[in-house]
Amino acid sequence: MSTRDNGFTPTPEGPPLPFPLPFPEPPEPQPQPNPLLIPPPLSFRSLRCGCYLMNYTPAASPLVSYDGSLRVECHADGRTASGDLYQRPVIWLPLGLGRPPRPILLGGPSPAAGIPVLSRSRYRYYLRVTQLAERFVVGNSFTLGFEMWRFTKATGGWSTGGTWANEGAFTARVSWQTAPPGYPSASDYLAGDVKNAAGVVVGRLTLGWVSAYLRKATVEIDRVAVSEPPLDNGAGVGWKAVGDSVGWDITVDESDANVAEPSGESWSDAEAHAAMLARRDASNLDAEWRYHVLCVRRLDSTERGIMYDAYGGDSNNVPREGCVISSHWVMPNTAEWGTVKGVRFGKAPAPYFRTAVHEAGHAMGLYHNTADHGYMNTTNVIAGNSLDPGSPAFPANIRWAYHPDDAKRLRHMPDIYVRPGGTPFGTSYGTTPISPTDLCFEFDGLTLTVTPLLDAVPFGAPVRVNVELTNTSAAPLPAPASLGLKGGAVKGLVADPSGTVRVFSPVVICVEDTPLVTLAPGESVRDSLTLLRGPNGPLFPLAGVHKVTVEVHWDRDGAEAEVSGQADVMVTPAVDDAHARAAAAVLSTPDALLMLAIGGDHLVDGVAVVQAAVQNPVLAPHFAFIEAKRLARRFGKRKANLKAATDLIDEHTVMSPAEVKRAAEMVSDDGADSAAGKNLAKKLKGRVKGLKAGDDVKAAVDAL
Amino acid sequence: MAAPLVGNWTKTTAAPDYPDTVHFHPDGRYDTTHAAADRHPRWDVGRYEVPGPGRVRVSTSNDAIIEYKFAVSGDAVTFTAPDGTEFRYRKQG
């Protein structure tokens, strides 16, 4: 540990880590004891960290296109991403001679220009990324999941802010392709169709890597002649290192050193704002993110520094353009000021530079944060805490970093929140969207096949789907041991013919506790789901094609892994009034779902509607086993009645493989030697021959 | 000089720029809580001093130090901002 001339001792943490973070190597195939079992080499790909030039073009809207950036941050737990979209301008091309002008969609930003900087007036959407390839994928594509948050600016100047509205969840299956000319990396370009929650393609997304940084900005420093420029902390941490620590490519413009004092050594907020407007080298905030730092001897409104461009100090209604710091304030001659007590501020590079970074942080939309001694804590608090037992003296107790929450905000808050001239200071973190850090990652190498037991079911009937999770890679992979709705790993959604989406889920969701098995290459886990209702009501409330999406989630190294699959099911309309009445009763009775899931005579309403459905010739085949399952199980004083259950089951009864297995277990529970047991066993053996079922189902029936 | 304000206070009037609760510590620090999500409060965390009777200087969210008038009456205090805005807190415990 070295001590510099000013007596400042670097903190044990040292300077911020370089950006990007060290890139983890792809996993190597593990050595195998038997050479015959060595799998072929797997093709791993990972999403490169940094900024991607993004374009989203909605389908069937030839004059609407959005450009912007997608930021992919790499960290120890994987990746976190976020994006912003700006609407591309349309111009009207005059054709002359009385012909009407023709609208022309202008071209997008050049990838050769790196991180795009687009006009604030064109800002439209923040992309809150909820799913992406967090580590490595096998193959050439992955699913990007995101919410689109539309920003609506309030009337008036930018100081009036705006509001956010979530327009829904979207996915894009993006594949790596060769980049068009102009991109710095031909191999880091992706494209794919964007689908809404109902699975309908709504547009096309392209992503081309343009920079290892996430954002870029300029910090211009102007000063009066006698004020020192705050360029670094005297121990190697300057603006570039500060920016690098959060993925910002910061350029320092050490500019005017002769700013005149308008009214003596002490400046008002208004004087600082006026000097910023008069002396900054560039003012087009739609072409450059430029933050202005003014250094003066003293300040009227505070001691060390202020981000004056807020509230009443923002005379041009363009928020957060600049800040001002004081070089000639003298630190009090008291113990808390440690090794710099009595020192003029500009002569103490560590606290002086820290204050400049702190005020610039306010200009980037950050607020005070006392959770650590980082940049957004206040100097007074840090100095005061240096008197705590065991603490280094001020300023050696400064932490030269942003608190992790603030670092995330700088990386992933919406452009319009952090960029100068965007939303006003005072805008709440709580009303501004930001991507989650821990994402659900898609587990490539496992394929989920969803197959309806029947391609078409009558209105009011439950829909049975078979699900099969297969290891399609060449290496063993962990997977949930059970895919049933009681297993906790499966949930999903159903989009009805109108596009309305309703979810279904197990009663208890706890992916951390999902038992796992190891699937050998080509091996599968199978199960069946019987779907009728979800928390949003009936899943199949209309006649027509319904799209069923099944998702399997489980915990994988502390993150949530996901594989999903889809299938279409046709619901046919009611054939007569009796069918319609029975179906309506089932669909409007929440207990009907519990009858499917757990059964039991206590579900009085559920029992009644299922029995009514069994009496209806259209619905009977679909509900017979549900009622048979109830009858075959003792409940309270009522004895199990396998004969009654067996009588309900015939060759028309719709039963999934899982239900066939359950029926076999019913026979085993009752005793396969009983007449009813023999009868049901015979029916099941005939049925299992034509059934595509797992070995466990066949074994359960064969054992009868 | 900080004595009249030391303690925990809960806001009793609608003043969205100011926090729901404020704790003025005897050593000149203050901190706050604020549940409303629509706006970050002008007072978030920092220092305060009472330079004279009925006056308090508070470091605010953008580091401006702003002087407010205040009047304590029983367990209530009324602050007056430089722009004339009045807001009240009631002392807890």
Side-chain angles (χ1 to χ4, degrees):
Chain A
M1 189 176 286
S2 63
T3 301
R4 302 290 293 252
D5 294 341
N6 63 356
F8 167 65
T9 303
T11 58
E13 300 98 314
L17 291 173
F19 184 87
L21 292 171
F23 196 80
E25 292 298 321
E28 295 290 336
Q30 296 298 305
Q32 302 290 317
N34 182 343
L36 295 176
L37 297 179
I38 293 176
L42 297 178
S43 172
F44 288 103
R45 287 211 68 159
S46 60
L47 187 62
R48 188 173 182 180
C49 321
C51 181
Y52 290 73
L53 177 60
M54 175 166 57
N55 174 263
Y56 169 58
T57 299
S61 301
L63 292 177
V64 178
S65 188
Y66 301 93
D67 301 299
S69 56
L70 185 82
R71 298 169 292 277
V72 178
E73 172 203 0
C74 297
H75 48 72
D77 295 325
R79 281 160 175 73
T80 300
S82 58
D84 293 279
L85 289 171
Y86 299 72
Q87 188 167 2
R88 193 180 290 184
V90 172
I91 61 167
W92 291 85
L93 191 67
L95 299 178
L97 298 173
R99 295 165 62 192
R102 189 159 61 99
I104 301 290
L105 185 65
L106 294 182
S110 166
I115 297 171
V117 176
L118 301 167
S119 172
R120 289 164 294 153
S121 67
R122 312 303 301 177
Y123 189 84
R124 295 294 182 272
Y125 287 104
Y126 174 73
L127 266 58
R128 183 175 180 270
V129 176
T130 56
Q131 180 186 358
L132 84 165
E134 281 224 73
R135 292 186 178 86
F136 304 96
V137 297
V138 181
N140 195 46
S141 63
F142 66 91
T143 300
L144 179 72
F146 55 90
E147 297 167 353
M148 289 186 73
W149 287 76
R150 181 160 186 111
F151 179 75
T152 303
K153 186 182 166 300
T155 304
W158 277 99
S159 58
T160 58
T163 55
W164 294 96
N166 183 2
E167 292 198 345
F170 298 82
T171 57
R173 184 76 191 176
V174 289
S175 304
W176 276 277
Q177 304 176 2
T178 301
Y183 283 87
S185 173
S187 60
D188 291 296
Y189 184 88
L190 304 102
D193 287 338
V194 177
K195 294 181 178 178
N196 63 15
V200 176
V201 173
V202 294
R204 182 80 175 165
L205 190 74
T206 62
L207 302 166
W209 185 91
V210 290
S211 174
Y213 287 96
L214 305 177
R215 289 179 151 137
K216 67 178 179 183
T218 298
V219 173
E220 177 178 340
I221 299 173
D222 291 341
R223 60 188 173 96
V224 300
V226 295
S227 292
E228 293 81 0
L231 298 177
D232 60 54
N233 71 346
V237 177
W239 288 99
K240 177 154 183 55
V242 170
D244 283 359
S245 71
V246 290
W248 282 47
D249 181 9
I250 290 184
T251 301
V252 177
D253 177 5
E254 190 183 354
S255 186
D256 300 339
N258 61 348
V259 177
E261 294 175 332
S263 59
E265 69 170 13
S266 187
W267 291 58
S268 70
D269 294 352
E271 289 168 341
H273 191 277
M276 180 265 294
L277 295 178
R279 301 300 296 264
R280 63 182 171 183
D281 294 347
S283 61
N284 185 359
L285 298 178
D286 293 323
E288 180 187 35
W289 292 18
R290 177 173 288 256
Y291 300 92
H292 189 261
V293 178
L294 179 65
C295 311
V296 303
R297 285 195 286 172
R298 288 188 181 273
L299 298 167
D300 292 352
S301 61
T302 190
E303 294 167 339
R304 293 170 294 277
I306 181 172
M307 200 289 285
Y308 55 78
D309 208 4
Y311 310 118
D314 181 12
S315 61
N316 63 344
N317 292 324
V318 181
R320 300 183 290 96
E321 297 176 274
C323 57
V324 59
I325 63 171
S326 157
S327 62
H328 281 53
W329 175 71
V330 177
M331 284 171 274
N333 202 10
T334 53
E336 67 199 89
W337 296 97
T339 58
V340 290
K341 63 185 177 185
V343 175
R344 181 169 71 75
F345 208 38
K347 289 289 189 185
Y352 186 59
F353 176 69
R354 200 202 84 88
T355 292
V357 174
H358 175 94
E359 301 306 337
H362 284 321
M364 295 167 183
L366 298 180
Y367 301 115
H368 291 141
N369 187 338
T370 56
D372 67 4
H373 286 177
Y375 294 132
M376 295 317 295
N377 203 335
T378 65
T379 299
N380 272 327
V381 169
I382 296 172
N385 288 349
S386 71
L387 299 179
D388 292 345
S391 170
F394 184 81
N397 66 333
I398 292 172
R399 181 169 181 259
W400 295 100
Y402 291 99
H403 182 273
D405 291 346
D406 294 327
K408 179 181 176 183
R409 290 173 182 127
L410 290 175
R411 294 178 181 120
H412 296 294
M413 286 292 257
D415 276 1
I416 209 66
Y417 184 92
V418 296
R419 65 184 293 177
T423 51
F425 189 79
T427 301
S428 169
Y429 291 148
T431 55
T432 309
I434 188 168
S435 292
T437 300
D438 296 321
L439 305 179
C440 183
F441 68 92
E442 190 170 14
F443 203 104
D444 280 278
L446 292 175
T447 300
L448 185 69
T449 305
V450 181
T451 310
L453 189 68
L454 301 173
D455 292 333
V457 299
F459 182 56
V463 169
R464 292 166 169 89
V465 293
N466 296 327
V467 288
E468 181 173 7
L469 185 63
T470 304
N471 180 357
T472 53
S473 78
L477 291 174
S482 168
L483 301 182
L485 276 173
K486 291 180 183 174
V490 171
K491 59 181 179 181
L493 51 91
V494 178
D496 73 19
S498 72
T500 302
V501 174
R502 298 173 180 84
V503 300
F504 61 86
S505 57
V507 176
V508 177
I509 301 173
C510 189
V511 296
E512 290 83 357
D513 294 337
T514 303
L516 300 180
V517 294
T518 299
L519 293 181
E523 193 177 4
S524 297
V525 176
R526 294 185 181 90
D527 215 319
S528 308
L529 311 176
T530 303
L531 304 174
L532 184 67
R533 290 182 67 92
N536 312 120
L539 296 171
F540 305 91
L542 306 170
V545 176
H546 290 66
K547 185 173 287 296
V548 179
T549 301
V550 179
E551 299 172 353
V552 181
H553 296 251
W554 71 100
D555 182 68
R556 171 73 176 171
D557 299 331
E560 190 178 352
E562 178 195 313
V563 178
S564 64
Q566 287 187 327
D568 290 340
V569 177
M570 169 64 81
V571 175
T572 57
V575 298
D576 52 33
D577 287 349
H579 174 199
R581 280 197 298 275
V586 168
L587 295 178
S588 63
T589 305
D591 275 1
L593 171 69
L594 296 176
M595 275 294 290
L596 268 64
I598 59 176
D601 295 7
H602 60 299
L603 302 168
V604 177
D605 293 342
V607 171
V609 294
V610 167
Q611 288 179 334
V614 169
Q615 296 304 312
N616 181 269
V618 179
L619 293 178
H622 303 270
F623 283 94
F625 179 72
I626 296 164
E627 176 65 355
K629 190 169 62 171
R630 182 184 72 85
L631 293 172
R633 189 162 46 199
R634 181 182 64 84
F635 189 90
K637 293 180 180 177
R638 179 178 63 77
K639 292 181 180 177
N641 188 345
L642 186 62
K643 180 178 184 308
T646 301
D647 289 345
L648 283 172
I649 298 172
D650 60 23
E651 67 273 22
H652 301 298
T653 302
V654 179
M655 295 171 69
S656 69
E659 288 170 327
V660 171
K661 182 182 178 187
R662 177 73 191 103
E665 292 166 352
M666 285 160 41
V667 175
S668 297
D669 292 344
D670 190 73
D673 293 335
S674 69
K678 288 179 180 175
N679 187 12
L680 183 53
K682 184 179 176 184
K683 292 178 180 180
L684 295 176
K685 287 182 177 178
R687 177 178 291 266
V688 81
K689 286 178 185 170
L691 200 64
K692 186 183 178 186
D695 293 340
D696 58 330
V697 177
K698 292 174 180 169
V701 175
D702 289 345
L704 297 176
Chain B
M1 290 298 285
L5 292 176
V6 168
N8 285 299
W9 300 84
T10 299
K11 191 170 64 176
T12 57
T13 53
D17 277 342
Y18 293 91
D20 296 340
T21 70
V22 57
H23 184 187
F24 291 111
H25 296 269
D27 63 359
R29 289 179 299 115
Y30 82 90
D31 48 50
T32 63
T33 63
H34 191 57
D38 58 337
R39 209 175 302 181
H40 187 81
R42 296 287 291 270
W43 296 357
D44 56 3
V45 61
R47 298 192 67 83
Y48 76 102
E49 63 172 341
V50 179
R55 294 186 296 137
V56 60
R57 289 163 53 81
V58 182
S59 67
T60 60
S61 57
N62 70 331
D63 297 320
I65 297 174
I66 296 177
E67 184 169 305
Y68 296 78
K69 294 176 184 171
F70 73 90
V72 177
S73 175
D75 63 352
V77 59
T78 300
F79 293 96
T80 306
D83 65 0
T85 303
E86 283 193 356
F87 50 99
R88 283 183 284 281
Y89 285 78
R90 185 174 300 280
K91 199 162 196 176
Q92 301 301 304

